[in-house]
Amino acid sequence: MINLLPPETKRELRAARSNTLLVRYNFFLLGALVFMMVAIGIVYVYLTNTKANAELTINENKAKVAGYATVEAQAKEFRTNLQTAKQILDQEINYTKVVLEFAALMPPGTILETLALDSATFGTPTTLNAKAKDYASALALKDSFQKSELFTNVHFQSIAGGGADAGYPISVSLNVTIKKDAAK
């Protein structure tokens, strides 16, 4: 095929085709731009609604937390009361247990004349006054106290015979140290 069109017309035809293609590209670009703007608008509306819902939820939760403030204060007070009670119970001395252990350690033929227990007695040297029927019972008393886990540093302070009590004529005075953990 022979092209008989003049060169000027050929150029104008090529320019017309290029212009048509450029117009199509411009319309396509404009459509893409409109689509992007609509998409951005939809996302903006969605995020705004989500933000409003989140703020509403935050405000509701703050109101609920304010309602639980009294419960939290009560729990804190209860916790401090428990700690105080624990400290008190940790320092508690069970005198009954100590007295029963004393009674279990007493050999036959001996009695305690005096026994004074208080919190200062534990861990410090103490004098115990006892009475015995004979010297063997007095020695058995000292041996029983020495073998016990309740006492340390057990030794005689004095042993005297011929007391006024006919049933227990021997007076015994013992120096002992009651262990601190004896009443726990």
Side-chain angles (χ1 to χ4, degrees):
M1 189 154 31
I2 300 177
N3 194 352
L4 299 174
L5 290 173
E8 185 64 30
T9 306
K10 281 192 218 176
R11 268 187 286 168
E12 286 182 13
L13 281 175
R14 276 190 214 134
R17 280 188 207 135
S18 295
N19 285 343
T20 306
L21 188 61
L22 287 175
V23 167
R24 284 184 196 160
Y25 284 159
N26 283 337
F27 281 128
F28 177 71
L29 185 62
L30 199 63
L33 186 63
V34 168
F35 174 76
M36 291 296 286
M37 294 299 260
V38 169
I40 289 172
I42 290 172
V43 168
Y44 178 77
V45 169
Y46 174 75
L47 289 178
T48 304
N49 287 337
T50 304
K51 178 184 174 189
N53 288 338
E55 287 176 353
L56 182 64
T57 303
I58 288 171
N59 291 336
E60 289 174 359
N61 288 339
K62 283 182 181 178
K64 287 179 184 177
V65 167
Y68 294 131
T70 57
V71 174
E72 184 179 356
Q74 289 173 347
K76 186 176 181 181
E77 180 182 351
F78 184 71
R79 192 176 304 118
T80 57
N81 289 343
L82 280 179
Q83 288 175 347
T84 304
K86 183 183 180 312
Q87 288 174 350
I88 290 170
L89 290 176
D90 286 345
Q91 295 175 358
E92 177 185 33
I93 296 175
N94 189 353
Y95 293 107
T96 306
K97 178 183 173 189
V98 176
V99 171
L100 290 175
E101 288 179 11
F102 266 99
L105 292 174
M106 298 296 292
T110 60
I111 59 170
L112 277 178
E113 194 172 19
T114 59
L115 177 63
L117 293 175
D118 60 14
S119 60
T121 307
F122 296 94
T124 59
T126 305
T127 301
L128 296 177
N129 296 320
K131 294 228 178 220
K133 287 187 176 185
D134 52 24
Y135 286 106
S137 297
L139 292 174
L141 176 65
K142 179 183 178 275
D143 288 340
S144 176
F145 282 6
Q146 276 182 329
K147 292 176 185 174
S148 170
E149 296 292 321
L150 185 64
F151 302 106
T152 59
N153 300 329
V154 178
H155 57 279
F156 284 116
Q157 184 176 359
S158 67
I159 297 179
D165 191 0
Y168 296 94
I170 309 294
S171 292
V172 179
S173 183
L174 288 168
N175 282 335
V176 299
T177 302
I178 304 171
K179 292 183 179 178
K180 285 187 177 191
D181 60 347
K184 303 256 176 182

